[in-house]
Amino acid sequence: MATDELTPAPVAGADSTGFSFSIWPPTQRTREAVVQRLVDTLTGDTILCKRYGSVPAADAEPAARAIEAEAFDAAAATGGAAASVEDGIEALQFYSKEVSRRLLDFVKSRSAAAKSQTPSVDAPPATEVEAAESQATA
C-alpha cells in the first residue's frame, strides 16, 4: 500500500497536522440530542416541571423541536458562519442561552395559560360556623 493512500487530504483551515474542527454550526446529531434533552426536561421529574407543570409527551416533542429550531435560527442570524473557533464558541454560547430562554418562556406561558383556564373562586365557601356567626350578628 502506498503511503499517499494513508495521508489525509488537506483540510481548509487545518493546522499543520491536518486536523480541523468546527464548533459552529452544531451537527444534526447534536441538534437532535438537544431536542431529546428538551423533551426529557419537559416531561421528566425536573425542577422546571415541579414549578410550572410537566408537558404531555405528545406536546413536548413538537415544542422541543420548535424551541431548538428558533434558537438555532437566532444564533445563525447573529453568529452566521463562524470565521474562527472563538466566533464559533460565541455562537454556540448564544445558541445555548437562546434554548434555555425559550424553554423557560414556553413553560411559563403554558403555566399561565393553564392558570387562566382554571375557574377562580372570589371567596372561599363559608363554613357552617362562619355562616351561623354572620346570621347571629345580623
Side-chain angles (χ1 to χ4, degrees), residues 77-101:
T78 303
S84 67
V85 173
E86 291 80 18
D87 292 342
I89 291 170
E90 286 180 23
L92 192 62
Q93 287 175 332
F94 182 81
Y95 168 70
S96 177
K97 288 177 185 176
E98 281 295 302
V99 167
S100 298
R101 184 183 66 78

Side-chain angles (χ1 to χ4, degrees), residues 108-123:
K108 283 181 176 180
S109 68
R110 186 176 171 86
S111 176
K115 287 180 182 177
S116 70
Q117 291 177 356
T118 304
S120 63
V121 178
D122 293 338

Side-chain angles (χ1 to χ4, degrees), residues 3-96:
T3 57
D4 290 352
E5 293 176 18
L6 299 176
T7 306
V11 178
D15 61 9
S16 61
T17 63
F19 177 75
S20 177
F21 72 96
S22 174
I23 198 162
W24 184 261
T27 63
Q28 188 61 38
R29 181 177 172 196
T30 300
R31 292 182 67 190
E32 288 296 324
V34 169
V35 169
Q36 187 56 50
R37 183 67 181 136
L38 287 170
V39 170
D40 293 346
T41 299
L42 290 169
T43 60
D45 186 27
T46 62
I47 292 173
L48 206 61
C49 289
K50 289 176 184 172
R51 180 161 184 171
Y52 298 106
S54 63
V55 178
D59 297 340
E61 180 146 1
R65 289 198 180 283
I67 289 166
E68 190 281 331
E70 291 169 6
F72 180 82
D73 291 344
T78 303
S84 67
V85 173
E86 291 80 18
D87 292 342
I89 291 170
E90 286 180 23
L92 192 62
Q93 287 175 332
F94 182 81
Y95 168 70
S96 177

Side-chain angles (χ1 to χ4, degrees), residues 129-138:
V129 174
E130 291 172 333
E133 288 175 354
S134 65
Q135 286 179 354
T137 58

